[in-house]
Amino acid sequence: MLTLFSLLTALPAVLALHLLEPELVLPAFSVLLFVEAGFAVIAARSIHLPDNADNITLWDLAGGFTLIGCAAAVFGEPDQAALLLTEQGDPRPASPP
């Protein structure tokens, strides 16, 4: 299963590097990883395997794809990430009573 998801990640990523403009590669890779995370969640929900801490599960793959997809989105649009982080840190103005 890990090999399948590795191929499903590597092949579109290589194609995106060759076919897309450089500024579109990271957003496209981010979308690809979010879609793969969704497929991993669907597979994990449909295949009920016993939890085993020794092996990588589909839930681990889904979490990894999501984490890397978020990182690719942040690195692809650093100005948007900066706006999001600065808006979260500012105190909210007090509303009039």
Side-chain angles (χ1 to χ4, degrees), residues 78-96:
D79 54 342
Q80 298 297 325
L83 284 174
L84 175 69
L85 293 175
T86 56
E87 287 177 9
Q88 297 294 326
D90 290 340
R92 296 184 184 262
S95 61

Side-chain angles (χ1 to χ4, degrees), residues 5-97:
F5 278 113
S6 298
L7 287 175
L8 290 175
T9 303
L11 292 176
V14 169
L15 285 174
L17 283 172
H18 292 295
L19 298 176
L20 295 176
E21 297 293 323
E23 61 270 1
L24 295 177
V25 171
L26 282 176
F29 190 61
S30 174
V31 169
L32 169 72
L33 288 171
F34 286 132
V35 169
E36 286 185 7
F39 284 137
V41 166
I42 291 169
R45 295 276 299 170
S46 62
I47 302 171
H48 298 288
L49 297 175
D51 291 334
N52 187 352
D54 295 337
N55 296 328
I56 295 175
T57 65
L58 289 171
W59 292 106
D60 297 328
L61 286 176
F65 288 145
T66 304
L67 180 68
I68 297 170
C70 289
V74 167
F75 287 130
E77 301 271 343
D79 54 342
Q80 298 297 325
L83 284 174
L84 175 69
L85 293 175
T86 56
E87 287 177 9
Q88 297 294 326
D90 290 340
R92 296 184 184 262
S95 61

